[in-house]
Amino acid sequence: MAVLVFAATFDLKHIDIAVVDPRPTQSSRQIIASLQGNPLYSVNTFTHVADAEKYFLMDEKDLILVFPIHFEKKTFDKGFEVQILADAVNSRSAQLAVAYLQETLIKHVPGIFMNVSGLSERTTQKARINVIPRYLYNPDLDYKQYMFPGLIVVVTSAVGIFLTAFNIVREKEVGTIEQVNVSPIHKTVFIVGKLIPFWIIAIFEMSFGLLIGHLFYDITVAGPLGDLFIFTVAYLLLGLGLGLLLSTFAHTQQQVMFLSWFFMMIFILMSGLFTSIESMPLWAQKANILNPMAHFMKVIRMIMLKGSTLSDVLRTFLFILGYAFVVLLAAVIRYRKNE
């Protein structure tokens, strides 16, 4: 409780913004500088919207602020007008981020134009300020779109971690694992034989979940389905390895249930299922690197809702493979010591 209360928060503490300014003017430069000076925002500039949208697919930007061509001239003629593109996979965070940026612009823009144009404060404050938000990937701001992939992750992980650990510990309780240990079957073959059935069950379960999402909620996979399953296969290697590792620390099903429940609760609450990871304290974000569900939660939303591909999540994919190798190796070593 001392940790999770700080980590599970709905506050929005950081917003990554890509600013598209095709023809910078004195006014647009000052607006960008005012955003860069605000600790709430992290700002990068681009000249084309397409370049900025690539960072949406990699889940590295929350908003895109688009200045029109001839921004300064249009502002003096028709009023201040910009467009905000929001990554609306998490509809709640997207609306908050857009509201924060709108408020910042409305607060600072009149003063900036007063300095640039030399007009009076009353004149600039009366100028029309028009900010046009557009929500991408979830234009209806439907929260089911955000929650459904996360629930698939929870169910798939439960099979991978819980059932694997329970199955091996049950073998210890009934004594059948001792018969296997004295048999000529190699221990690695035994472990692989134990893991493969749950690996197949978890893949089937995720497939069934995707089918339910399509039939009942009209949620489809926007990205390549093959890429989603390739990442899931790698993730399940890690989940099964964690289940096997937990089973080496327990001698009864009750012990392994407490261990599994303890880690699953932390993994779920820190995974970004309910709250945004970017809003967590920095220490929680660093600790979350070891949370496998946080990585899968992020990737499945990127592929299902944004249409990202495996190349967009390649760094995470390689990390999960390396993590799985380390965990499986540790599990096999501990199993041999405990046999």
Side-chain angles (χ1 to χ4, degrees):
M1 291 297 292
V3 172
L4 295 176
V5 168
F6 291 101
T9 173
F10 286 101
D11 293 340
L12 195 59
K13 297 177 179 175
H14 185 78
I15 302 172
D16 287 305
I17 303 177
V19 178
V20 179
D21 190 9
R23 293 184 185 175
T25 61
Q26 187 179 354
S27 307
S28 64
R29 288 195 195 96
Q30 289 193 23
I31 293 171
I32 293 169
S34 70
L35 294 177
Q36 289 172 330
N38 190 325
L40 179 63
Y41 305 115
S42 175
V43 180
N44 295 102
T45 56
F46 300 86
T47 53
H48 297 95
V49 175
D51 294 335
E53 284 184 338
K54 290 177 184 174
Y55 287 84
F56 266 178
L57 292 177
M58 293 188 284
D59 206 33
E60 294 183 4
K61 296 297 174 191
D62 303 308
L63 301 174
I64 299 177
L65 174 63
V66 184
F67 288 94
I69 298 174
H70 307 303
F71 164 69
E72 209 163 67
K73 183 176 182 302
K74 286 183 178 178
T75 300
F76 287 126
D77 293 342
K78 302 178 181 177
F80 177 82
E81 184 171 306
V82 292
Q83 184 181 43
I84 298 175
L85 304 177
D87 175 358
V89 167
N90 184 344
S91 56
R92 187 198 305 264
S93 295
Q95 291 178 82
L96 273 177
V98 169
Y100 283 178
L101 182 56
Q102 278 183 307
E103 187 177 338
T104 303
L105 292 173
I106 291 172
K107 183 178 179 182
H108 292 287
V109 164
I112 290 172
F113 273 93
M114 187 175 67
N115 293 333
V116 172
S117 64
L119 297 175
S120 66
E121 184 177 357
R122 176 177 293 181
T123 305
T124 52
Q125 285 183 344
K126 284 182 178 177
R128 186 169 59 88
I129 297 178
N130 187 19
V131 179
I132 307 167
R134 182 183 166 206
Y135 297 97
L136 303 180
Y137 313 121
N138 185 10
D140 297 330
L141 301 177
D142 186 354
Y143 207 64
K144 289 196 295 293
Q145 298 271 348
Y146 179 71
M147 287 300 295
F148 186 79
L151 294 175
I152 288 181
V153 172
V154 173
V155 173
T156 306
S157 302
V159 172
I161 298 175
F162 266 109
L163 293 188
T164 307
F166 270 87
N167 184 265
I168 293 178
V169 171
R170 186 175 181 281
E171 296 266 10
K172 290 181 184 179
E173 280 190 324
V174 299
T176 53
I177 200 165
E178 294 175 0
Q179 298 173 18
V180 175
N181 288 338
V182 297
S183 70
I185 299 175
H186 195 275
K187 302 301 177 295
T188 306
V189 175
F190 168 72
I191 290 171
V192 171
K194 278 292 179 186
L195 296 184
I196 285 179
F198 297 107
W199 189 47
I200 295 172
I201 291 172
I203 290 287
F204 172 78
E205 194 171 27
M206 197 192 81
S207 306
F208 192 62
L210 293 175
L211 181 63
I212 290 176
H214 177 60
L215 295 178
F216 289 87
Y217 304 107
D218 197 27
I219 298 175
T220 56
V221 180
L225 191 61
D227 288 2
L228 178 59
F229 275 96
I230 290 172
F231 191 92
T232 304
V233 166
Y235 170 75
L236 284 174
L237 287 176
L238 175 57
L240 294 169
L242 285 172
L244 179 62
L245 186 61
L246 288 178
S247 71
T248 63
F249 289 95
H251 299 285
T252 65
Q253 293 187 66
Q254 193 174 26
Q255 288 175 351
V256 80
M257 182 186 71
F258 283 127
L259 279 173
S260 302
W261 183 250
F262 174 77
F263 284 106
M264 280 293 288
M265 282 298 294
I266 293 177
F267 286 168
I268 290 172
L269 289 176
M270 300 278 289
S271 66
L273 175 63
F274 302 108
T275 58
S276 172
I277 292 175
E278 289 73 20
S279 298
M280 296 178 184
L282 187 59
W283 59 265
Q285 295 183 36
K286 291 185 176 179
N288 235 0
I289 293 173
L290 295 177
N291 181 357
M293 288 181 67
H295 297 286
F296 192 30
M297 197 80 67
K298 178 180 177 181
V299 169
I300 195 171
R301 283 172 175 154
M302 289 172 66
I303 295 178
M304 282 190 68
L305 304 180
K306 293 185 179 181
S308 302
T309 64
L310 198 59
S311 61
D312 294 319
V313 298
L314 186 60
R315 192 165 51 183
T316 307
F317 177 68
L318 295 176
F319 173 78
I320 290 293
L321 280 180
Y323 196 1
F325 175 78
V326 171
V327 169
L328 282 169
L329 184 64
V332 171
I333 291 173
R334 272 201 58 81
Y335 178 79
R336 285 177 175 170
K337 285 182 179 178
N338 293 338
E339 61 181 72

